Amino acid sequence: MFLNRESHPVVRIGSYIMASKAQCPHCCVCKKPYKYKGIDPYLLPCLHAACAGCISVQRETITCLLCRESFDKEQFIFLNDTVTQVETLATTLKHKPSEIKCTNKDHSLDAVSWCKDCESFFCQSCQAAHNQVRSSSTHGMVSLKDMKPADVRSQKSLCPDHESYALDLYDETCEIIICSKCARSNHKHCKTEELDEAAGAVEEDTIEDKSKLAAKLQHFKDMIDESNTKQETMKERHNDLKDLLSQRFNSIRDLITKREAELRKTLEFRHLSEMDEAARVSNKLRRIVRLCKNTHDYTGKLLEHGNTSDILMLRKYVKFRTEMALSEEAEMFEIVPVHVTFSKEKIQSLENVLQTVCDIETKEGDDGSFMNLYANFEGPNSDTETSEKDPQAQGNYLPMFSTVDESKLSDLISETEPLDMDPDTEEEKEREHNEENEEDNGEELITGNPALSYPALSFDVERINNNKVHVNNKGFLVNSKVSQERKLGQYVGTTAITPLPKDKVSYWEVESDFNVASEMQQHGLLMEIGVARGACLDNSYCMSGQKGSMCLAIAHCSTHKGVCAKIWSNGQKMRCYENVLSTSPGTSDTLRHGLLFDGTRNTLTIFDLNTIAELVTLDTEEQADDLWPVFGAYNSSLAAVQMKVVSGKEINILKSKTKMLKGAME
């Protein structure tokens, strides 16, 4: 029978991941839909079902294509997914009832009814014969068109050890379903209760969890809406600031063209930094929503399609996934307004102070409105309509310019003849910039030659020096120890779980947060990223000075007297980018880097993602040994370091980034 509740061979699987929405019952590995009387589905920890054929493949891991993560088959046990079986039957009855055939194997006529007691489908003739037998004439019969999921739930099964006794008790001690005779013999010392009572308590808890998940899901959906609104506000404010700069500098264009370009570059840099942070928060919110929705949907299926045995046997998996979803938290990013400030001390001669008269800065405490910016620039005696408006009437907007000597500035501006601007040229530049910062799927790079891949990388927690660093519950590599265990005896860090492919071009990103704790010491190393041969992974505390490695290290530099980005290749220091971090205690900053490894040419290109610029391209001799992504974090007494790998679908591809990658691959 399709709804056979007997036990199946168990399979062990690995770590828990989140999953996306499934459209209709189908295998999450091979994507083949489940069919009535077809191959059995098995439940993965992510609450997606994989068919028995994919489970039985002789591999150490199984990968759910909906979640994009792999599981080690040796770690966890999972059961036959009878909930998905019932859902498959319900879907077949609704959309393809002609596929339901009579249980009688002597013919293959279409079924017209279902017997709840016999748990069998009958054609027209078999139904008539079934009703004529006295012992079965009182059975509950349901026509196919009137069937509901509850109709196909099995009655209490018989005990395999005592065939005349029903499985009607739940053994809390052994966590299995038994009969009353089992309770009096092999399980007489165990704690038991009625099956319906035990299932009822778990069902109530599951219903409560489903309600909590619904609230959590709505909460994060609301946060995504808020995120979208804030991003639109930032874009509008950004455009308003650009327009204002153009208006004010138009009258002195012959003197300030170069300075205006510098200010625009600074403004764009800060705007891109804000948008990168917004994109990071949005990606995290979407991931949490997928986790909550998947768990919420499956608990609904369990309550709708599962019987009492399902609710009991699956409660650990569902409860674990529910607690994981309910424990997720995310902080909404804040809009930090950008201000255009004019110096009040140095406006004595516009030609002499052009480099300092105006600057762009970020200040906390207001909403970054541009309305009073124009008013303050014009001065208290201006006749313009904007300057006469009260700040409180503009929604409590605060001034965006610092106090300046408006009369001197007006005199200086009046002494210069404004140059005519080409509006088409300015609009074209603005349109090109906006296009560069639009999202891009990177299709041109993925399908190009060579093709670019975005492997899903993660820190290898099984190969890490826990005496120096650890991976926290948010997935960040942190430069503090949690135990004396040294799975890497020398290297202060870890690697990716798998090496890089030699026949592909791979790209991943690393975000590193720094909080400076004390004055930097000479040669103080803070973090390191790059690639290294397997043979030298644990030869020293860092990779920078070793042959067979290509790395970027953030460390104190005695030459430049600050924290620099040092480029190392095959044990030699190649280049030094000075003063990338502040050395003042109490300051914090974030560095974002992209790494492009070309396995066909044995080259590594490193990018600064804060400025969308290529730093260096390194090469090494072809080696038979594999190359591994490496991540090191050091000296917690100098600074707290948190490092995050951004890879696979988490990478936010902008057109400007696509252009940068394309240039490096040519």
Side-chain angles (χ1 to χ4, degrees):
M1 289 299 296
F2 173 75
L3 298 176
N4 184 9
R5 305 296 182 172
E6 295 178 1
S7 62
H8 293 270
V10 298
V11 181
R12 300 180 180 273
I13 60 175
S15 58
Y16 287 84
I17 61 171
M18 71 177 188
S20 59
K21 178 181 177 182
Q23 297 177 349
C24 65
H26 66 279
C27 176
C28 66
V29 178
C30 64
K31 296 295 185 71
K32 293 180 180 179
Y34 295 115
K35 294 183 178 181
Y36 164 65
K37 281 192 174 181
I39 193 167
D40 288 336
Y42 285 82
L43 187 65
L44 299 182
C46 59
L47 305 185
H48 287 133
C51 68
C54 294
I55 293 292
S56 62
V57 174
Q58 296 299 316
R59 293 178 182 173
E60 295 180 357
T61 61
I62 182 171
T63 300
C64 175
L65 296 184
L66 298 176
C67 301
R68 299 294 181 183
E69 289 195 29
S70 300
F71 303 99
D72 186 352
K73 294 182 179 180
E74 295 300 321
Q75 293 185 8
F76 296 92
I77 298 176
F78 61 93
L79 305 174
N80 183 289
D81 189 1
T82 54
V83 173
T84 299
Q85 286 182 321
V86 175
E87 183 187 13
T88 301
L89 176 57
T91 304
T92 304
L93 288 170
K94 182 177 180 180
H95 300 289
K96 295 181 180 180
S98 61
E99 292 185 0
I100 308 299
K101 304 299 181 181
C102 180
T103 306
N104 190 340
K105 297 182 179 179
D106 294 335
H107 57 73
S108 58
L109 298 178
D110 292 347
V112 296
S113 61
W114 163 265
C115 178
K116 298 180 180 179
D117 299 86
C118 298
E119 296 185 357
S120 300
F121 289 104
F122 295 111
C123 63
Q124 193 70 43
S125 58
C126 290
Q127 177 184 337
H130 175 272
N131 292 339
Q132 291 176 0
V133 178
R134 177 176 299 177
S135 60
S136 60
S137 60
T138 59
H139 286 187
M141 301 290 292
V142 183
S143 65
L144 241 59
K145 63 180 181 179
D146 296 329
M147 279 189 66
K148 299 178 180 178
D151 297 327
V152 298
R153 293 181 179 175
S154 292
Q155 306 296 324
K156 293 179 180 178
S157 303
L158 296 179
C159 178
D161 298 326
H162 312 101
E163 297 181 352
S164 61
Y165 288 80
L167 293 171
D168 55 0
L169 296 174
Y170 178 66
D171 186 339
E172 295 183 11
T173 305
C174 300
E175 296 185 343
I176 59 173
I177 301 174
I178 61 175
C179 69
S180 57
K181 191 169 183 179
C182 291
R184 295 192 299 271
S185 56
N186 297 338
H187 299 268
K188 62 182 179 180
H189 298 296
C190 299
K191 182 180 180 181
T192 62
E193 63 178 317
E194 291 294 329
L195 182 63
D196 291 338
E197 293 178 3
V202 175
E203 184 174 7
E204 291 179 2
D205 185 52
T206 305
I207 292 173
E208 183 179 353
D209 288 343
K210 183 173 181 289
S211 176
K212 293 178 180 178
L213 285 167
K216 194 79 170 181
L217 180 62
Q218 185 60 46
H219 169 67
F220 286 114
K221 284 183 176 180
D222 292 341
M223 290 187 71
I224 287 180
D225 291 338
E226 182 182 352
S227 169
N228 294 335
T229 301
K230 286 189 172 183
Q231 291 181 63
E232 288 299 321
T233 301
M234 288 189 295
K235 291 178 181 179
E236 293 175 2
R237 184 201 63 197
H238 170 67
N239 292 332
D240 292 335
L241 287 173
K242 289 198 302 182
D243 292 339
L244 179 65
L245 283 173
S246 297
Q247 293 172 14
R248 301 318 308 163
F249 279 95
N250 185 45
S251 60
I252 51 174
R253 185 63 60 193
D254 55 328
L255 297 176
I256 64 171
T257 299
K258 182 178 179 180
R259 182 57 179 163
E260 182 184 8
E262 294 174 352
L263 290 171
R264 282 182 174 275
K265 183 178 179 180
T266 303
L267 184 63
E268 294 303 329
F269 169 77
R270 294 188 179 275
H271 175 64
L272 289 176
S273 299
E274 287 180 329
M275 297 305 294
D276 283 346
E277 177 64 14
R280 184 187 69 81
V281 174
S282 297
N283 288 337
K284 181 176 181 180
L285 290 173
R286 293 188 184 97
R287 177 184 65 79
I288 297 175
V289 166
R290 289 196 300 269
L291 171 62
C292 293
K293 182 167 181 57
N294 170 59
T295 310
H296 173 267
D297 291 346
Y298 189 81
T299 53
K301 293 178 183 178
L302 177 61
L303 295 171
E304 180 180 2
H305 301 303
N307 61 14
T308 54
S309 298
D310 298 329
I311 293 174
L312 286 169
M313 301 308 295
L314 297 177
R315 66 171 179 173
K316 285 187 176 180
Y317 293 99
V318 176
K319 189 67 175 179
F320 179 89
R321 201 65 180 176
T322 298
E323 291 175 354
M324 177 187 288
L326 294 177
S327 66
E328 289 284 355
E329 296 292 343
E331 296 180 1
M332 177 55 63
F333 61 89
E334 298 296 333
I335 298 178
V336 181
V338 178
H339 299 258
V340 180
T341 61
F342 281 82
S343 171
K344 64 180 180 179
E345 291 85 11
K346 298 183 180 180
I347 310 181
Q348 300 298 321
S349 172
L350 183 61
E351 187 172 0
N352 295 331
V353 301
L354 199 55
Q355 296 300 316
T356 57
V357 70
C358 183
D359 203 351
I360 294 176
E361 64 182 21
T362 301
K363 291 183 178 179
E364 298 181 356
D366 64 63
D367 62 359
S369 168
F370 78 99
M371 296 299 293
N372 282 345
L373 182 148
Y374 191 87
N376 286 341
F377 187 90
E378 292 293 342
N381 298 322
S382 173
D383 294 331
T384 61
E385 179 181 354
T386 309
S387 65
E388 295 175 356
K389 294 184 179 180
D390 183 80
Q392 301 297 327
Q394 298 298 329
N396 295 322
Y397 293 145
L398 298 179
M400 295 183 65
F401 278 88
S402 61
T403 305
V404 298
D405 189 339
E406 293 89 351
S407 60
K408 291 184 179 181
L409 182 60
S410 300
D411 292 339
L412 287 171
I413 294 176
S414 64
E415 293 174 1
T416 63
E417 289 185 10
L419 299 178
D420 292 334
M421 294 176 55
D422 184 356
D424 294 336
T425 301
E426 292 297 314
E427 292 177 1
E428 181 67 23
K429 290 181 179 179
E430 182 176 353
R431 181 167 60 254
E432 290 177 356
H433 169 75
N434 290 337
E435 289 177 356
E436 287 183 354
N437 289 280
E438 291 177 356
E439 290 190 358
D440 186 11
N441 59 13
E443 183 67 19
E444 180 181 358
L445 299 177
I446 296 173
T447 59
N449 186 21
L452 178 63
S453 64
Y454 302 95
L457 302 182
S458 58
F459 297 121
D460 190 350
V461 296
E462 297 298 326
R463 180 164 60 179
I464 190 172
N465 189 342
N466 282 322
N467 190 43
K468 298 293 184 180
V469 297
H470 74 279
V471 177
N472 63 19
N473 57 5
K474 294 184 178 180
F476 292 100
L477 180 67
V478 183
N479 61 337
S480 61
K481 69 178 183 179
V482 293
S483 69
Q484 299 295 328
E485 185 178 7
R486 287 174 175 261
K487 296 178 181 178
L488 284 177
Q490 300 294 328
Y491 187 55
V492 183
T494 185
T495 69
I497 295 178
T498 57
L500 295 166
K502 297 181 179 180
D503 58 345
K504 295 181 179 180
V505 180
S506 305
Y507 177 75
W508 68 99
E509 298 176 355
V510 178
E511 293 183 5
S512 306
D513 296 328
F514 300 84
N515 290 290
V516 180
S518 62
E519 290 290 340
M520 290 295 169
Q521 302 174 2
Q522 187 173 4
H523 306 302
L525 178 60
L526 295 181
M527 62 86 73
E528 176 186 72
I529 55 175
V531 297
R533 292 191 297 111
C536 64
L537 289 180
D538 203 20
N539 291 344
S540 177
Y541 77 100
C542 68
M543 298 293 173
S544 300
Q546 299 190 54
K547 291 185 177 181
S549 68
M550 298 179 285
C551 298
L552 176 145
I554 304 299
H556 184 273
C557 178
S558 57
T559 302
H560 300 113
K561 308 300 181 182
V563 179
C564 297
K566 302 181 180 181
I567 306 298
W568 293 79
S569 180
N570 293 308
Q572 300 294 323
K573 187 167 73 172
M574 308 297 293
R575 193 172 299 177
C576 183
Y577 295 91
E578 58 186 280
N579 299 325
V580 297
L581 285 178
S582 171
T583 59
S584 301
T587 59
S588 60
D589 206 349
T590 298
L591 298 182
R592 298 176 176 87
H593 295 97
L595 295 94
L596 181 73
F597 175 74
D598 189 343
T600 63
R601 297 186 294 182
N602 288 303
T603 62
L604 176 69
T605 303
I606 303 176
F607 306 93
D608 182 354
L609 299 184
N610 284 349
T611 59
I612 310 296
E614 178 180 335
L615 295 181
V616 68
T617 296
L618 307 172
D619 57 13
T620 185
E621 296 180 359
E622 184 175 356
Q623 302 285 342
D625 200 359
D626 288 327
L627 284 169
W628 295 74
V630 292
F631 315 89
Y634 308 84
N635 291 314
S636 58
S637 61
L638 299 180
V641 180
Q642 286 194 137
M643 189 185 303
K644 176 185 178 183
V645 179
V646 182
S647 63
K649 288 190 172 182
E650 293 181 345
I651 296 177
N652 184 25
I653 297 296
L654 303 176
K655 286 189 175 180
S656 57
K657 192 181 295 184
T658 300
K659 182 178 179 181
M660 174 190 71
L661 293 173
K662 184 178 179 181
M665 294 172 62
E666 291 178 347

